[in-house]
């Protein structure tokens, strides 16, 4: 008959209490937020005012619902990493090796010339007829095995000969492995650069094969975010061939024309293959040169230091260029052999510029260019307006539904209302527990849940009304009402839940936020309808034992 | 004293003018299709690429001045609309500026937004840019595709679920009703030229969920009544089921509409389109349950051979609700 085991009752109340407790911090959002920030700072060892951490008791849960960018304001960027850039860099760095190798075998292959080619190929023309095959064989020995799970046994380059040309390309396995490395590296560099600026709770996620999603709350604009990430912050040290003032100077292949950063109208012709790149930097600090002008000191890792040392030893008296983002910062003449792998970059810097450059160098250069596919900036005031409007709409909807239910079902309506209040509390508790993000459509999802949550109760109450006409006595009617309404409740909610899951799986950003609140709302509303209201009804029934029932 | 939206006992015949209702639905569908074909949808940047800028200023909005300021930048088609909301004070004037995707660009134009900002600042000093969003054509194409996949997938999943839980005729009825609701919603967006963006897809899927919820509740009762009244004509069984659940149908629609309407009025202009889609969907969904899903069920007929109650015994889904 109408009864629920004691342990079940205890379980239900415990669950409700736990949910409400988890939801509690959200009622004091800004206070708990400050406390959480202070605690995090303390844990990180930062010197902060410890009294700020006592604003919220430590024995209470302090998880909050995250606010999405559309509610808090901030910037969102979706970038695509130009993984092909790396192929080109690889080919460029291969050229000196190939050149030295073939020069040594000049007797067999003849003179060699680098040909214009697609960026991801290296084409070398050999002088001797029929020498291409021999040359290809020699170059093939430069190949190294690919280190990856799928490419076992594959080598990193593919060499073929065509007429008098030797064509070198990266193998498929190497491309896959390179792409993966490029993406991870980009992700890490972007993360470090954003951390360096110190905004809180940035989201930096990989999306698909070659995309990265970046969301930073509280930042002024997407432009600012782009500036921090830097589009092509590439540092290289390249040998200088000559200097010119003619912007249309025709460069030989294997060389490039790069403008100077601070000398107007001055261009440098540089060898394309860099001696060392910024990737081999281990540290850089703002400092001052001997004339007390701002400068940036740097240090290479061992392999970078060896390359740099060898090059400076062999080219004393020759100029070499420090190139950042396709601009020559400075082109000093090598005064002496620099063996230790550390040096200093001078230029017409201000103190601020040298500090920024040091940060940029320390964070490392991005291995490939970024293309911005999507950028969004939401101002904090618009977010605040949205929260305010959403809050008011929620409260009004809530109160209106409560009144409507009470008018329609009387005492049972009150039970349903208690369940509805518990339901919204549980929903916030779950959102906090999961650390889910609340977006503006998410708020709409909550409002929709408020409207639809009563559905399960309505189904049950209507069924009880029907059963009252035929069943023997109120107890039996209540029991049958719950029993018979269950299949409709289950079917109706599972189908809605399916759509929420699909939305979550496929949607992104705000849509996902909506799917979360809708899906969790279904779970909590079914729970409250078939357990909480039922318990309330039964408790009332046990106490009153009514002979007739009005639903 | 109870508030009653529907008389306690009803025995309305919902199928007496069914041809009329089906004709009405078909007419609406044709109108939607015609509007879609001729006017198309007012796609947001999510689906078409481009940039939208939301500006705020204390000065009265002079669209002509904005347009003149931007004309020099040669950005092609620019639309500028004023946004109204009851919550705005007298010194808050909000505009939405929409700039089309520039031809031949895969991504967001570098520095262009900065140019637009400067140009507008020179005309309106106190202008603030509360939201700036840009989507490159590359992403927007993919977004359309995934959105369409999401809607189709949801319908497919639902079709399968109802097929397993009921009979195939029920599944067909439910899904045709869903398609009906989704098409009419797209139609209304085409007729009114409300901006159609990613959030609207979420709304469409919610409509799918809601409409289904409604349909399933009635079908559940139909199934029950089919077992209870073995010799009653299908039309009467359907009528009985709809009448029995009518009070619930109306109650739930009303509570949901109460919530949605408060959101339309008070929830701010940013999500108004989204909420409008859901409100429309609730109305259409409730209507289609009775006049589309049930009508199709009536037309298709249902297997009435419940004489062997054990026929479903081996079916693992038969006892889910037990």
């Amino acid at each position: 008959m109408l009864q629920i085991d004691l342990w079940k009752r205890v379980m239900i109340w415990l669950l409700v209490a736990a949910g409400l407790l988890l939801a509690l911090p959200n009622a004091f959002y800004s206070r708990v937020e400050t406390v959480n920030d202070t605690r995090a700072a303390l844990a990180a060892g930062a010197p902060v005012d410890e009294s700020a951490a006592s604003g919220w008791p430590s024995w209470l849960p302090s998880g909050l619902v995250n606010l999405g960018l559309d509610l808090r304001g901030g910037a969102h960027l979706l970038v695509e990493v130009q993984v092909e850039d790396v192929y080109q860099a690889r080919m460029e760095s291969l050229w000196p090796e190939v050149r030295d190798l073939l020069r040594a075998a000049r007797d067999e292959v003849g003179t060699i010339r680098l040909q214009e080619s697609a960026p991801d190929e290296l084409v070398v023309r050999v002088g001797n007829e029929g020498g291409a095959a021999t040359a290809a064989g020699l170059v093939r020995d430069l190949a190294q095995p690919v280190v990856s799970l799928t490419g076992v046994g594959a080598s990193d380059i593919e060499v073929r000969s065509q007429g008098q040309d030797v064509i070198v390309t990266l193998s498929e396995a190497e491309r896959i492995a390179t792409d993966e490395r490029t993406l991870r590296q980009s992700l890490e560099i972007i993360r470090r650069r954003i951390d360096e600026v110190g905004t809180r709770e940035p989201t930096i996620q990989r999306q698909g094969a070659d995309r990265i999603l970046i969301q930073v709350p509280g930042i002024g604009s997407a432009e600012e975010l782009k500036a921090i990430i830097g589009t092509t912050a590439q540092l290289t040290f390249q040998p200088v061939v000559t200097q010119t003032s003619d912007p249309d100077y025709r460069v030989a292949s294997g060389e490039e024309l790069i403008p100077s950063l601070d000398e107007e109208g001055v261009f440098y012709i540089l060898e394309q293959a860099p001696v060392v790149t910024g990737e081999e930097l281990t540290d850089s600090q703002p400092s001052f040169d001997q004339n007390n002008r701002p400068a940036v000191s740097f240090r290479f890792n061992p392999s970078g230091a060896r390359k740099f040392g060898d090059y400076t030893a062999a080219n004393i008296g020759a100029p070499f260029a420090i190139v950042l983002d396709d601009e020559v910062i400075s082109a000093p003449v090598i005064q002496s052999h620099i063996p230790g792998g550390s040096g200093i970059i001078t230029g017409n810097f201000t103190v601020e510029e040298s500090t920024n450059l040091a940060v940029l160098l320390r964070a490392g250069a991005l291995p490939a260019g970024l293309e911005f596919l999507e950028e969004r900036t939401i101002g904090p005031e618009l977010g605040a307006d949205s929260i305010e409007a959403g809050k008011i709409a929620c409260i009004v909807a809530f109160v209106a539904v409560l009144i409507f239910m009470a008018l329609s079902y009387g005492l049972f309506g009150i039970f349903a209302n208690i369940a509805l209040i518990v339901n919204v509390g549980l929903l916030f508790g779950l959102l906090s527990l999961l650390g889910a993000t609340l977006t503006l459509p998410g708020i709409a999802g909550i409002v929709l849940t408020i409207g639809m949550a009563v559905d399960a109760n309505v189904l049950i109450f209507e069924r009880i009304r029907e059963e009252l006409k035929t069943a023997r006595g109120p107890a039996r009617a209540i029991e049958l009402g719950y029993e018979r309404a269950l299949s409709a409740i289950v079917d109706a909610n599972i189908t809605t839940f399916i759509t929420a899951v699909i939305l979550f799986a496929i949607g992104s950003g705000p849509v996902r936020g909506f799917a979360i609140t809708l899906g969790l709302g279904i779970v909590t509303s079914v729970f409250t309808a078939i357990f909480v209201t039922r318990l309330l009804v039964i408790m009332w029934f046990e106490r009153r034992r009514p002979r007739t029932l009005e639903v | 004293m109870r508030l009653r939206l529907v008389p306690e006992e009803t025995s309305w015949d919902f199928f007496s003018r069914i041809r009329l209702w089906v004709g009405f639905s078909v007419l609406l569908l044709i109108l939607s299709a015609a509007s879609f074909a001729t006017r198309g949808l007012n796609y947001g940047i999510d689906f078409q690429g481009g940039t939208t800028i939301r500006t705020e200023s204390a000065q009265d909005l002079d669209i002509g001045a904005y347009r003149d300021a931007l004309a020099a930048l040669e950005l092609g088609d620019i639309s500028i609309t004023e946004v109204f909301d009851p919550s705005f004070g007298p010194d808050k004037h909000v505009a939405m500026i929409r700039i089309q995707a520039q031809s031949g660009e895969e991504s967001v134009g570098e520095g262009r937004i900065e140019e637009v900002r400067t140009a507008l600042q020179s005309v309106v000093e106190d202008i603030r840019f509360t939201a700036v969003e840009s989507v490159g054509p590359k992403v927007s194409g993919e977004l359309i595709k995934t959105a369409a996949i999401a809607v189709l997938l949801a319908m497919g999943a639902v079709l399968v679920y109802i097929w397993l839980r009921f009979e195939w005729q029920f599944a067909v009825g439910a899904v045709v009703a869903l398609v009906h609701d989704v098409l009419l919603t797209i139609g209304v967006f085409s007729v009114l030229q409300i901006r159609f963006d990613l959030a609207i897809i979420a709304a469409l899927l919610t409509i799918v969920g809601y409409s289904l919820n409604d349909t399933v509740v009635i079908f559940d009762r139909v199934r029950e009544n089919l077992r209870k009244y073995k010799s009653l004509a299908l039309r009467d069984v359907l009528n009985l089921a709809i009448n029995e659940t009518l009070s619930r149908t109306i109650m739930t629609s009303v509570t949901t509409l109460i919530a949605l309407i408060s959101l339309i009025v008070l929830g701010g202009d940013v999500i108004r389109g989204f909420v409008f889609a859901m409100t429309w969907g609730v109305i259409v969904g409730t209507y289609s349950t009775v006049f589309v899903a049930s009508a199709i069920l009536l037309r298709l007929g249902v297997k009435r051979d419940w004489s062997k109650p054990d026929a479903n015994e081996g079916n693992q889904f038969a006892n889910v609700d037990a």
Side-chain angles (χ1 to χ4, degrees):
Chain A
M1 283 299 281
L2 261 192
Q3 49 183 306
I4 302 184
D5 295 340
L6 184 64
W7 70 271
K8 277 192 190 157
R9 296 181 186 215
V10 174
M11 280 294 290
I12 292 168
W13 289 128
L14 277 181
L15 270 173
V16 169
L20 295 183
L21 201 61
L22 283 169
L24 187 65
N26 293 296
F28 307 91
Y29 201 95
S30 52
R31 202 161 109 195
V32 180
E33 194 173 37
T34 337
V35 171
N36 283 350
D37 286 352
T38 316
R39 284 185 193 157
L42 280 175
V48 283
D49 183 11
E50 281 190 41
S51 63
S54 58
W56 186 251
S58 57
W59 48 269
L60 278 176
S62 57
L64 289 169
V65 174
N66 291 322
L67 294 180
L69 281 190
D70 53 351
L71 296 180
R72 170 171 283 178
H76 160 119
L77 276 183
L78 180 67
V79 301
E80 190 165 87
V81 181
Q82 305 303 105
V83 287
E84 302 84 15
D85 287 1
V86 177
Y87 306 157
Q88 187 179 357
R90 283 286 298 272
M91 286 300 131
E92 277 169 14
S93 67
L94 199 60
W95 165 237
E97 262 184 278
V98 171
R99 182 185 58 198
D100 296 346
L101 183 77
L102 295 184
R103 265 187 196 158
R106 191 189 300 245
D107 298 342
E108 290 167 71
V109 299
T111 55
I112 50 165
R113 276 176 69 96
L114 182 63
Q115 300 292 303
E116 287 291 331
S117 66
D120 57 349
E121 293 183 332
L122 183 70
V123 181
V124 183
R125 180 158 294 170
V126 296
N128 287 0
E129 221 154 291
T134 326
L138 287 170
V139 176
R140 217 165 268 140
D141 289 339
L142 290 174
Q144 280 169 1
V146 177
V147 190
S148 78
L149 286 175
T150 48
V152 180
S155 56
D156 61 347
I157 51 171
E158 274 167 8
V159 188
R160 60 201 157 88
S161 57
Q162 192 174 50
Q164 278 185 286
D165 291 343
V166 177
I167 301 167
V168 188
T169 52
L170 289 178
S171 70
E172 193 55 40
E174 177 65 10
R175 279 175 196 236
I176 293 168
T178 309
D179 290 357
E180 183 65 29
R181 237 180 356 247
T182 309
L183 210 75
R184 285 216 191 139
Q185 216 176 339
S186 304
L187 206 61
E188 190 48 42
I189 288 166
I190 290 173
R191 182 169 295 139
R192 264 191 282 166
R193 284 190 188 167
I194 290 174
D195 284 349
E196 194 100 30
V197 188
T199 60
R200 63 159 192 224
E201 292 167 32
T203 309
I204 301 157
Q205 272 172 358
R206 181 173 174 168
Q207 283 207 328
D210 54 2
R211 291 187 185 167
I212 298 173
L213 174 73
I214 306 150
Q215 291 187 323
V216 183
I219 199 167
S221 76
E223 301 288 324
E224 221 173 289
L225 182 56
K226 277 158 119 178
I228 292 170
I229 295 167
T231 44
T232 51
Q234 281 267 24
L235 179 81
T236 52
F237 294 80
Q238 284 165 267
V240 175
V241 179
T242 176
Q243 193 182 340
T244 176
S245 59
D246 174 15
D248 300 320
Y249 186 89
R250 283 183 58 87
V251 292
S253 66
E255 293 173 1
E256 58 188 344
L257 187 72
I258 303 237
S260 165
L261 177 68
D262 43 18
E263 298 159 289
E264 191 84 10
V266 175
F267 295 87
Y268 289 90
I269 290 102
L270 309 176
E271 280 186 30
Q272 233 170 23
V275 178
V276 201
T277 68
E279 281 170 47
E280 306 203 72
L281 278 179
T282 52
D283 191 24
S284 75
Q285 294 292 339
S287 65
F288 294 91
D289 64 5
Q290 59 269 44
N291 299 327
N292 231 7
R293 287 181 307 179
V296 177
S297 65
F298 59 87
R299 187 189 306 280
F300 286 119
N301 65 15
S303 92
R306 196 171 55 246
K307 287 187 211 166
F308 194 60
D310 291 352
Y311 183 79
T312 50
N315 292 282
I316 291 174
F320 87 122
I322 301 168
V323 184
L324 182 76
D325 287 346
D326 283 331
E327 281 179 321
V328 175
I329 298 180
S330 69
V333 172
I334 299 167
Q335 306 291 356
S336 64
H337 173 212
I338 307 174
S342 62
I344 190 165
I345 304 172
T346 58
N348 282 328
F349 298 131
T350 64
V351 176
E352 200 189 336
E353 280 168 353
S354 72
T355 312
N356 282 344
L357 181 59
V359 167
L360 215 58
L361 294 182
R362 193 161 58 238
L366 285 166
L370 300 178
E371 190 178 20
F372 298 98
L373 300 180
E374 201 183 309
E375 56 175 270
R376 298 174 196 262
T377 311
I378 310 290
E381 63 271 67
L382 182 61
D385 286 355
S386 294
I387 292 190
E388 194 52 35
K391 219 187 261 174
I392 294 173
C394 267
I395 292 171
V396 170
F398 203 66
V399 172
V401 171
L402 291 183
I403 293 173
F404 184 70
M405 284 298 283
L407 285 178
S408 298
Y409 295 109
L411 183 63
F412 276 62
I414 306 281
F415 292 150
N417 286 343
I418 295 172
L420 185 58
I421 294 167
V422 169
N423 181 28
V424 173
L426 286 183
L427 180 55
F428 270 96
L430 269 180
L431 287 171
S432 311
L433 185 68
L434 298 175
T437 302
L438 187 65
T439 60
L440 189 52
I443 293 183
I446 293 178
V447 176
L448 186 69
T449 306
I450 294 174
M452 285 176 70
V454 293
D455 182 52
N457 281 315
V458 169
L459 273 168
I460 293 164
F461 295 166
E462 292 291 333
R463 194 72 202 211
I464 293 176
R465 275 183 184 171
E466 279 178 51
E467 298 303 331
L468 275 174
K469 292 176 203 157
T470 52
R472 296 175 300 275
R476 184 79 186 130
I478 293 173
E479 199 186 347
L480 281 178
Y482 272 94
E483 201 179 292
R484 297 203 170 144
L486 191 65
S487 91
I489 294 173
V490 168
D491 279 339
N493 284 289
I494 284 183
T495 43
T496 312
F497 194 72
I498 290 176
T499 56
V501 169
I502 289 174
L503 262 183
F504 182 78
I506 293 182
S508 63
V511 175
R512 211 168 226 206
F514 174 73
I516 291 174
T517 51
L518 184 67
L520 292 180
I522 290 168
V523 173
T524 54
S525 67
V526 169
F527 169 78
T528 49
I530 59 185
F531 292 109
V532 180
T533 7
R534 186 181 201 169
L535 188 53
L536 288 171
V537 169
I538 289 174
M539 281 168 59
W540 165 79
F541 193 84
E542 282 169 346
R543 194 169 289 222
R544 290 294 173 83
R545 293 273 158 206
R547 289 184 179 280
T548 57
L549 200 60
E550 198 193 0
V551 178
Chain B
M1 194 49 224
R2 294 281 195 273
L3 180 70
R4 282 270 183 180
L5 297 173
V6 178
E8 201 159 332
E9 202 111 6
T10 55
S11 51
W12 295 331
D13 183 2
F14 288 91
F15 298 102
S16 61
R17 292 206 177 81
I18 194 66
R19 279 163 200 272
L20 195 73
W21 291 115
V22 170
F24 179 62
S25 279
V26 171
L27 182 71
L28 287 182
L29 284 173
I30 291 171
L31 284 178
S32 297
S35 173
F36 186 75
T38 53
R39 294 157 67 95
L41 284 169
N42 176 13
Y43 285 114
I45 55 165
D46 288 342
F47 292 139
Q48 214 165 41
T51 303
T52 58
I53 299 172
R54 186 185 165 99
T55 64
E56 214 181 290
S57 157
Q59 299 173 24
D60 278 347
L61 184 72
D62 180 358
I63 291 180
Y66 281 40
R67 202 172 278 284
D68 292 344
L70 296 177
L73 299 174
E74 291 181 357
L75 296 168
D77 204 15
I78 297 176
S79 84
I80 302 171
T81 44
E82 180 156 17
V83 178
F84 298 99
D85 191 87
S87 70
F88 294 167
D91 54 349
K92 185 168 170 180
H93 299 277
V94 178
M96 285 295 274
I97 301 168
R98 163 87 182 270
I99 302 164
Q100 70 177 31
Q102 304 299 304
S103 56
E105 274 179 13
E106 278 292 281
S107 57
V108 178
E110 203 64 39
R112 183 161 308 117
I113 293 164
E114 215 39 59
E115 284 173 22
V116 173
R117 281 180 193 237
T118 330
L120 287 174
Q121 253 151 2
S122 68
V123 187
V124 188
E125 277 157 31
D126 69 332
I127 200 165
R128 283 178 299 135
F129 302 90
T130 44
V132 180
E133 304 186 56
S134 277
V135 178
K138 198 175 194 171
V139 182
S140 59
E142 291 168 17
L143 286 177
I144 287 198
K145 216 188 295 168
T146 39
I149 292 174
V151 174
L152 291 178
L153 211 62
M155 289 191 185
V158 159
L159 186 76
V160 171
Y161 182 80
I162 299 193
W163 184 22
L164 291 175
R165 292 281 288 152
F166 298 85
E167 301 282 314
W168 66 268
Q169 294 93 334
F170 289 81
V172 172
V175 169
V176 171
L178 289 187
V179 174
H180 169 268
D181 300 344
V182 169
L183 291 184
L184 284 193
T185 308
I186 293 176
V188 97
F189 270 75
S190 170
V191 169
L192 300 179
Q193 289 289 302
I194 305 172
R195 198 167 65 150
F196 194 87
D197 54 24
L198 206 54
I200 306 301
I201 297 295
L204 281 182
L205 281 169
T206 318
I207 293 169
V208 168
Y210 184 88
S211 164
L212 207 66
N213 192 314
D214 221 40
T215 310
V216 165
V217 168
I218 293 185
F219 280 5
D220 183 79
R221 188 56 74 95
V222 171
R223 180 172 56 181
E224 188 183 322
N225 285 350
L226 281 173
R227 287 177 187 156
K228 213 174 331 174
Y229 309 103
K230 293 195 177 88
S231 54
L232 205 60
L234 181 59
R235 177 177 159 145
D236 299 329
V237 173
L238 285 173
N239 261 328
L240 185 64
I242 296 171
N243 276 303
E244 280 174 345
T245 51
L246 193 63
S247 173
R248 173 266 160 193
T249 307
I250 301 297
M251 273 300 294
T252 301
S253 295
V254 168
T255 54
T256 310
L257 284 176
I258 287 176
L260 288 174
I261 287 170
S262 73
L263 204 55
I264 283 201
V265 177
L266 303 165
D269 65 286
V270 182
I271 50 167
R272 191 153 292 143
F274 176 69
V275 182
F276 171 76
M278 292 208 286
T279 312
W280 170 259
V282 167
I283 297 166
V284 178
T286 309
Y287 160 84
S288 74
T289 299
V290 176
F291 295 106
V292 179
S294 305
I296 286 179
L297 194 59
L298 180 62
R299 179 89 204 182
L300 289 175
V302 190
K303 189 188 75 168
R304 295 293 295 273
D305 185 13
W306 299 105
S307 55
K308 290 176 237 156
D310 289 341
N312 261 335
E313 202 71 358
N315 184 337
Q316 56 169 317
F317 297 100
N319 292 319
V320 171
D321 57 331

